[in-house]
Amino acid sequence: MKRSQIYHTVQKLNRIPSFFQTGIKSFFIGRAVPFVGTSGLRFEKTTTHDWVASILNSPKVRNHLGQLHACGMVLLAESIAILIVAMNLPADKLPLVKNINADFVKRSTGGLRAKVSLTDKQIEYIQSAEKGELPLEVEIIDHAGIQPVVVTVTAVWIPKKRKS
């Protein structure tokens, strides 16, 4: 299996000294996906099994209540869910979002930290299925340790080139 470009890029970035990794990974991913960069997402852990990212409650992503805007919360979840799938996909597949379900259950306090994980079985499925669909639960916790939103991102993948 030929690995995706994101896999190779992230593997290289994971080899630099750990105290530089978050800033450099965030910069490169933000350049590839400008809205992610604009919102200030910080990518803390990026492995084939786990992705962790955070977003600060900065003025550019706040709502009228002074908390992180709902769109920022969903962006955080969607970004790590699709990126972990993309990292595990073969190079000839394209990851897409099929559905995002977000239930806002509490008001958030401060910034947020999100985590998504894949099992070995899920990774095998991603790498072997011609087309696939995978719902991913993204855990989002705020600075007070509260889960303000429950998010499921359904990722799908298709071949990059359509067969005639």
Side-chain angles (χ1 to χ4, degrees), residues 82-153:
I82 290 303
L83 287 168
I84 197 170
V85 170
M87 185 174 183
N88 285 286
L89 277 175
D92 63 342
K93 303 292 186 282
L94 178 67
L96 300 166
V97 175
K98 179 179 181 182
N99 184 41
I100 299 174
N101 183 40
D103 292 321
F104 298 91
V105 294
K106 301 268 186 194
R107 285 185 65 169
S108 65
T109 304
L112 299 176
R113 190 164 198 242
K115 179 182 180 184
V116 66
S117 298
L118 294 175
T119 64
D120 289 336
K121 186 175 179 179
Q122 289 171 317
I123 291 172
E124 182 182 326
Y125 172 58
I126 291 168
Q127 292 175 347
S128 63
E130 181 70 13
K131 293 180 179 179
E133 180 173 318
L134 187 64
L136 296 169
E137 302 292 327
V138 180
E139 178 186 51
I140 298 179
I141 304 296
D142 70 9
H143 278 50
I146 296 168
Q147 184 177 12
V149 60
V150 178
V151 182
T152 302
V153 177

Side-chain angles (χ1 to χ4, degrees), residues 54-73:
S54 60
I55 186 169
L56 296 175
N57 184 3
S58 65
K60 64 184 174 184
V61 292
R62 279 190 197 129
N63 64 16
H64 62 287
L65 301 172
Q67 68 188 64
L68 196 67
H69 196 284
C71 291
M73 294 180 193

Side-chain angles (χ1 to χ4, degrees), residues 26-42:
S26 301
F27 173 79
F28 279 108
I29 294 169
R31 292 278 306 229
V33 185
F35 188 52
V36 169
T38 298
S39 66
L41 265 60
R42 307 281 295 163

Side-chain angles (χ1 to χ4, degrees), residues 12-27:
K12 287 178 189 174
L13 295 175
N14 282 341
R15 288 192 289 261
I16 62 175
S18 59
F19 55 89
F20 287 124
Q21 281 187 25
T22 297
I24 291 174
K25 286 187 277 192
S26 301
F27 173 79

